[in-house]
Amino acid sequence: MSELVCELLGERLTDREQAEVECAPLGSAGRLLALYFGCSWSAPCKQFTAALGDFYSRFKQGENGDKLEVVFISSEEEHKPWQEFVGQMPWLVLPFQDKERKVKLWSKYKVTNIPSLIFIEGSTGRIVSRNGQLIIRDDPLGSEFPWGPKSFAEVMAGFLIKNNGQMVDSSGLDGSYVGVYFSAHWCPPCRSLTRVLVETYRKIKETGQKFEIVFVSADRSEDSYNQYFSEMPWIAVPYTDEARRSRLNRHYGIQDSEEEEIEPAKQLIQPIAEKILSEHKAKDDDPPLLFFVAGEDDMTESLRDFTNLPESAPLLTILDMSQRAKYVKDVEEITPAIVEEFVKAFLKEKLKPEPI
């Protein structure tokens, strides 16, 4: 109903030329809205805007072109960068001055990471998918529109694999209780849970219950996947079946956790970094260390390859490029005390270097 969408987004939106557009038609039956939360200063948002633009252009030329509209909802505080950013967008935009509505929308949809693309029904407001980024990546032609819910059998359909290489069809899961395990070797809490889960799984299987677990990997390489899966007695989606792994992530609302990890990591390492930097600044000395938190990007991958670092995380590493040496501490959990102890041991030359 048009009343619902107008209550949600206001009576009028704007286009990239700042011309007003009536909001009511967006609430017609069968129409989807893609709420795009982002801002101009975010590099991922800039990259995603380009990808979404390509998708939007293709979709609008198709048979369902009039059944989807994107609405950009910015977190921008300054008008000029907002205006420059939305000038690149072919879709509709929540007016910059409607700041109260912007805050309500970010709160209503519990947006914590950007970019974020949430598909809703225009007539009912029902959330169709919170993982819009995966939808436009996995369905670039929009052939699966309107991306409604599918059954477990549909999203899991295909061959599964045992850790001995034997293939089994997913239809064998019919009639069983199934746990879908989203996990990765680089994630310490995952590795801890896996050890407990293995014991629980074996106890349940010993009782004769029709129960199975399917591992859906978020590992960063097939080697890491193989190493991790070798510890598991259950079955898995093959690592090479990226489309199905992504489809399962979408189905169950699993989102990439990297951004959620980076901020706590910064907060953990910042106190010791500030302490060391301030001490040497007071002496007018150059700091002995520079600190940064590595994410999952091309630079980090290149650095890992060059220094032959393992993929597990969290991972504390000090690199001495002048001596072509590295100092690595791989632990289940990193605490402020562990960071401080590691750094102090390095500064006192108590750590044993490994060659790069």
Side-chain angles (χ1 to χ4, degrees):
M1 297 173 62
S2 60
E3 294 85 358
L4 188 148
V5 76
C6 289
E7 181 181 345
L8 186 69
L9 299 174
E11 295 290 335
R12 292 176 180 82
L13 300 168
T14 62
D15 61 19
R16 62 179 174 182
E17 304 297 336
Q18 302 300 293
E20 291 189 346
V21 177
E22 293 289 334
C23 192
L26 301 179
S28 59
R31 195 162 194 176
L32 291 190
L33 297 179
L35 305 181
Y36 172 22
F37 296 86
C39 64
S40 67
W41 48 259
S42 165
C45 284
K46 290 179 180 178
Q47 294 172 356
F48 179 67
T49 297
L52 181 58
D54 291 341
F55 172 85
Y56 183 86
S57 177
R58 286 191 299 268
F59 191 90
K60 284 296 186 181
Q61 295 172 19
E63 60 178 329
N64 294 313
D66 61 341
K67 296 180 181 178
L68 174 70
E69 190 51 72
V70 177
V71 179
F72 178 61
I73 303 160
S74 172
S75 64
E76 208 76 59
E77 295 294 333
E78 297 183 9
H79 186 266
K80 185 176 180 180
W82 174 86
Q83 189 173 28
E84 291 175 351
F85 195 37
V86 301
Q88 307 167 25
M89 300 177 178
W91 44 77
L92 301 180
V93 178
L94 186 75
F96 179 79
Q97 62 271 21
D98 201 349
K99 295 184 177 181
E100 183 178 348
R101 191 178 304 277
K102 173 192 73 176
V103 171
K104 287 181 178 179
L105 287 166
W106 281 67
S107 176
K108 175 181 176 65
Y109 292 103
K110 298 179 174 62
V111 178
T112 56
N113 295 321
I114 54 173
S116 183
L117 189 70
I118 300 174
F119 285 95
I120 67 170
E121 288 182 346
S123 58
T124 66
R126 182 182 70 87
I127 295 176
V128 174
S129 175
R130 300 189 65 90
N131 286 350
Q133 298 100 305
L134 295 182
I135 285 178
I136 70 163
R137 187 191 73 183
D138 297 343
D139 186 22
L141 300 179
S143 57
E144 296 180 25
F145 179 86
W147 307 295
K150 295 184 177 181
S151 68
F152 171 78
E154 288 178 298
V155 295
M156 186 61 77
F159 283 102
L160 300 169
I161 189 170
K162 297 182 177 181
N163 61 17
N164 63 3
Q166 181 183 350
M167 305 295 286
V168 296
D169 193 272
S170 62
S171 61
L173 297 172
D174 293 349
S176 297
Y177 292 100
V178 181
V180 184
Y181 185 34
F182 298 89
S183 188
H185 184 260
W186 53 261
C187 168
C190 295
R191 299 202 301 267
S192 297
L193 176 59
T194 297
R195 289 193 288 271
V196 176
L197 195 56
V198 166
E199 294 304 315
T200 302
Y201 174 84
R202 286 176 173 155
K203 288 178 181 178
I204 294 174
K205 297 294 277 189
E206 286 170 1
T207 67
Q209 295 288 330
K210 294 196 70 176
F211 172 70
E212 192 53 80
I213 292 176
V214 180
F215 170 44
V216 182
S217 173
D219 285 294
R220 294 164 178 159
S221 72
E222 190 166 7
D223 287 344
S224 182
Y225 162 85
N226 290 334
Q227 178 185 348
Y228 193 32
F229 185 39
S230 68
E231 305 168 9
M232 302 176 184
W234 44 76
I235 55 181
V237 175
Y239 185 79
T240 53
D241 196 344
E242 185 176 352
R244 186 160 34 143
R245 290 192 289 122
S246 183
R247 190 164 68 236
L248 284 159
N249 276 276
R250 279 165 42 200
H251 184 76
Y252 289 105
I254 306 299
Q255 301 187 37
D256 189 353
S257 62
E258 182 190 3
E259 289 296 326
E260 297 175 5
E261 294 171 354
I262 285 180
E263 191 56 38
K266 288 180 180 177
Q267 294 175 6
L268 186 149
I269 206 170
Q270 189 167 344
I272 183 65
E274 289 179 345
K275 181 179 179 181
I276 289 177
L277 293 176
S278 63
E279 286 175 355
H280 286 267
K281 185 177 180 181
K283 300 175 185 177
D284 204 23
D285 292 339
D286 291 332
L289 288 170
L290 297 176
F291 296 82
F292 77 98
V293 176
E296 187 173 353
D297 50 50
D298 291 342
M299 186 189 75
T300 301
E301 290 303 312
S302 296
L303 191 60
R304 282 185 183 276
D305 291 342
F306 178 73
T307 56
N308 196 28
L309 287 172
E311 291 190 349
S312 58
L315 185 72
L316 273 176
T317 305
I318 295 175
L319 299 176
D320 186 343
M321 304 307 285
S322 64
Q323 300 296 319
R324 296 186 64 83
K326 63 185 177 185
Y327 305 83
V328 180
K329 192 172 188 67
D330 188 5
V331 291
E332 286 292 314
E333 180 182 6
I334 294 177
T335 65
I338 287 175
V339 174
E340 187 163 10
E341 179 187 359
F342 182 60
V343 170
K344 285 183 176 178
F346 169 77
L347 295 177
K348 293 179 180 178
E349 301 183 352
K350 293 183 177 181
L351 299 180
K352 183 180 179 180
E354 300 176 35
I356 293 177

